[in-house]
Amino acid sequence: MSAAALDTPRRERNKQEKRERIVAAARALFSRKGFAATTTAQIAERAGIGAGTLFLYFASKDDLLVAIFREQMDAVVQRALATLPKRGSLLDEFVHVYGAMIVFHERDPELARAFVKEMLFVSGRNRAAVFEYIDGLDAQLAARIEFRQARGELDASAPARLVAENCFALYIARLQKWLGADERLASAEHIARLREAFALQLRMLEATPPRAAQRASQPKRRR
Amino acid sequence: MSAAALDTPRRERNKQEKRERIVAAARALFSRKGFAATTTAQIAERAGIGAGTLFLYFASKDDLLVAIFREQMDAVVQRALATLPKRGSLLDEFVHVYGAMIVFHERDPELARAFVKEMLFVSGRNRAAVFEYIDGLDAQLAARIEFRQARGELDASAPARLVAENCFALYIARLQKWLGADERLASAEHIARLREAFALQLRMLEATPPRAAQRASQPKRRR
DNA sequence: GGCTGAAACTGAGCGCACTCAGTTTTTGCG
DNA sequence: CGCAAAAACTGAGTGCGCTCAGTTTCAGCC
């Protein structure tokens, strides 16, 4: 019956609220004492639930971490996409978005390290969520490529989506290297490296399409 | 022969031999029962040592896994580099090498999954070893690029090493996606995807260098 | 309200990676 | 040899993530 769907039954509401409490407790403890040093028992206690209950909401401690991070990352990406530089190049836009994520991770490298390590290997419902998030990001950046392709600024024969996916891979690789290092580079330096890598991938888009007209409209002088 | 080589002090020899026993035991158990289902106590027992002794040789169970895998991967890469296709394109060579690694990982995806997950985040001595291994691989493949650049087949202005590093990143990203998936693609399909990604990165090398334009009249070469 | 089955919750307990105080083995030296 | 210091080794112990048999809470129905 539809009435049941309308009113949020007591059970559902309790569950949702309990989930929030767990997330809040975990967030506070993780950032105060670090991921490894926080025990699930402490989280449960702070959330006011039994030690076992936590695992009815999250399959594992790692799973909990991923769930927390994903929400925050969503916000970061959304904000970055909303503030794209107006007059910048495609490369600038890519660096703007991924740079924002790097800055975010810089706030708490130990957490970020644990997160990245788990993110790509989670299973269950969270795995789908993670990949949806990545797909969304890829799609948005692919759209930026296609926009320029449509205006004739870039080689329209290149598969925009695949290029965007490659850039995500480059970002992750850089991030892993950065987070894994004993002595971490300043994020400015890190972003500069990322820019280099992106430039190398995106340069392909500037190539004259194999068959298409080569800027015939532009009065280019030949010797 | 030197005096130092002659007398392998009893201590050193024992240590080395014990290390071998641990590795052999771990390898056998991991491949029989899987990584997660094997306990460090079982490994120690099979190696004929005390439970705590294992941790004098390897900092953690993960560390042990990484050490085992790295040795095997070295061999795989070495063989692949020695059997590069003679008449193939640069893309063919990249796919040949990384394809060999994929095939290797296909033999035991659960182990590979655990390995890849830990590899990029190990610390201590093994971390240095892992990155030396990656650097070596990058250098070898960069050399293949430079070889063609020197012959004028590819844009010599592109930084070969960075391109090779980008390709490694693409390989790792694909591998993570593949190993993390619930239903794993056939490796042939996986390799085809990797080829696409590589092609997108390497295409940049075919661009006519800014100043030297000799490729214009040359018919496009395919495979 | 009273009853009933199901859903949610609990915490004592389990298995395992890893530690460390105590023991054994090895080495260098007189 | 004997001896002392150092190095290597050991396994009982510890802490933590996670489980599950038992308990409590809730929703729907009379």
Side-chain angles (χ1 to χ4, degrees):
Chain A
M1 124 167 23
S2 59
L6 263 182
D7 74 327
T8 39
R10 175 93 146 281
R11 274 245 178 99
E12 277 309 310
R13 208 140 62 85
N14 273 351
K15 268 187 92 167
Q16 195 52 39
E17 185 228 333
K18 205 162 284 190
R19 207 194 115 99
E20 297 294 341
R21 286 216 311 278
I22 296 172
V23 167
R27 213 165 358 221
L29 290 171
F30 284 166
S31 75
R32 169 141 40 102
K33 324 178 17 175
F35 178 70
T38 301
T39 71
T40 56
Q42 291 167 344
I43 298 172
E45 189 188 356
R46 192 178 224 265
I49 59 173
T53 307
L54 192 150
F55 295 95
L56 297 176
Y57 290 82
F58 300 93
S60 66
K61 189 183 174 187
D62 296 332
D63 193 56
L64 172 56
L65 175 69
V66 171
I68 291 176
F69 248 73
R70 210 177 41 73
E71 289 171 23
Q72 294 181 299
M73 290 302 291
D74 271 350
V76 169
V77 169
Q78 233 38 56
R79 196 171 336 128
L81 283 169
T83 60
L84 282 178
K86 276 300 167 206
R87 300 235 158 270
S89 66
L90 181 69
L91 178 56
D92 290 330
E93 294 186 356
F94 270 71
V95 172
H96 177 80
V97 173
Y98 285 110
M101 293 168 72
I102 288 172
V103 169
F104 173 72
H105 283 312
E106 196 182 29
R107 284 209 307 223
D108 195 334
E110 192 235 340
L111 266 193
R113 192 178 136 107
F115 166 66
V116 172
K117 190 173 164 187
E118 300 308 327
M119 176 184 67
L120 298 162
F121 291 98
V122 282
S123 40
R125 276 201 317 160
N126 258 341
R127 180 177 168 78
V130 164
F131 279 94
E132 257 170 47
Y133 155 73
I134 294 175
D135 280 353
L137 179 56
D138 284 343
Q140 302 245 39
L141 287 172
R144 298 305 304 163
I145 297 175
E146 282 156 0
F147 172 69
R148 284 177 156 80
Q149 284 177 325
R151 299 174 79 188
E153 295 172 16
L154 295 176
D155 175 4
S157 72
R161 180 56 184 264
L162 292 181
V163 174
E165 283 178 13
N166 273 14
C167 285
F168 182 79
L170 298 178
Y171 159 71
I172 289 289
R174 279 282 147 208
L175 191 60
Q176 284 174 333
K177 219 169 195 170
W178 186 57
L179 293 171
D182 300 326
E183 301 269 321
R184 244 180 304 279
L185 257 51
S187 68
E189 177 70 12
H190 177 192
I191 290 175
R193 296 274 178 84
L194 186 65
R195 175 179 275 267
E196 275 180 9
F198 280 172
L200 235 44
Q201 174 64 72
L202 298 178
R203 192 194 294 182
M204 177 264 289
L205 291 166
E206 295 165 12
T208 308
R211 201 138 272 114
Q214 51 274 44
R215 299 168 183 274
S217 57
Q218 190 84 356
K220 188 106 184 191
R221 227 170 303 122
R222 298 201 72 223
R223 65 181 68 181
Chain B
M1 74 151 199
S2 66
L6 248 188
D7 86 297
T8 29
R10 173 92 148 281
R11 270 238 180 105
E12 279 307 312
R13 205 139 62 84
N14 273 351
K15 269 186 90 167
Q16 194 52 40
E17 184 227 335
K18 206 163 283 189
R19 207 194 117 99
E20 296 294 340
R21 286 217 311 276
I22 295 172
V23 167
R27 207 158 12 213
L29 289 171
F30 285 167
S31 74
R32 170 141 39 101
K33 322 175 25 174
F35 178 69
T38 301
T39 71
T40 56
Q42 292 166 344
I43 298 171
E45 189 188 356
R46 191 178 226 263
I49 59 173
T53 306
L54 192 151
F55 295 94
L56 297 176
Y57 290 82
F58 301 94
S60 67
K61 190 184 173 186
D62 296 332
D63 194 55
L64 172 56
L65 176 69
V66 170
I68 290 176
F69 247 73
R70 210 177 41 74
E71 289 172 23
Q72 293 182 301
M73 291 300 293
D74 271 351
V76 169
V77 169
Q78 232 39 55
R79 198 173 330 131
L81 283 169
T83 61
L84 283 178
K86 276 301 167 201
R87 301 233 157 273
S89 65
L90 180 69
L91 178 57
D92 290 330
E93 293 185 357
F94 271 71
V95 172
H96 178 79
V97 173
Y98 284 109
M101 293 168 72
I102 289 172
V103 168
F104 174 72
H105 284 311
E106 197 183 27
R107 286 210 306 222
D108 196 333
E110 192 236 339
L111 266 193
R113 192 178 136 105
F115 166 65
V116 172
K117 190 173 165 188
E118 300 308 326
M119 177 183 67
L120 299 163
F121 291 98
V122 282
S123 39
R125 277 201 318 158
N126 257 342
R127 181 178 167 78
V130 164
F131 279 94
E132 258 171 46
Y133 155 72
I134 294 175
D135 281 353
L137 180 56
D138 284 343
Q140 301 245 37
L141 287 171
R144 300 304 303 165
I145 296 175
E146 282 158 1
F147 172 69
R148 283 175 156 80
Q149 286 177 322
R151 298 174 79 188
E153 294 173 14
L154 296 176
D155 176 4
S157 73
R161 179 55 183 265
L162 293 181
V163 174
E165 282 177 14
N166 272 13
C167 284
F168 182 79
L170 298 178
Y171 159 72
I172 289 289
R174 278 282 148 208
L175 190 60
Q176 284 174 333
K177 216 169 197 170
W178 185 56
L179 291 172
D182 300 327
E183 302 267 321
R184 240 178 310 276
L185 257 50
S187 69
E189 177 70 13
H190 177 194
I191 291 175
R193 296 273 179 83
L194 185 65
R195 174 179 276 269
E196 276 180 8
F198 280 172
L200 236 44
Q201 173 63 73
L202 297 179
R203 192 194 293 182
M204 177 264 289
L205 292 166
E206 295 166 10
T208 308
R211 197 144 272 105
Q214 69 275 42
R215 281 292 301 271
S217 56
Q218 188 106 344
K220 187 125 196 189
R221 88 158 48 200
R222 265 312 247 152
R223 291 200 187 206

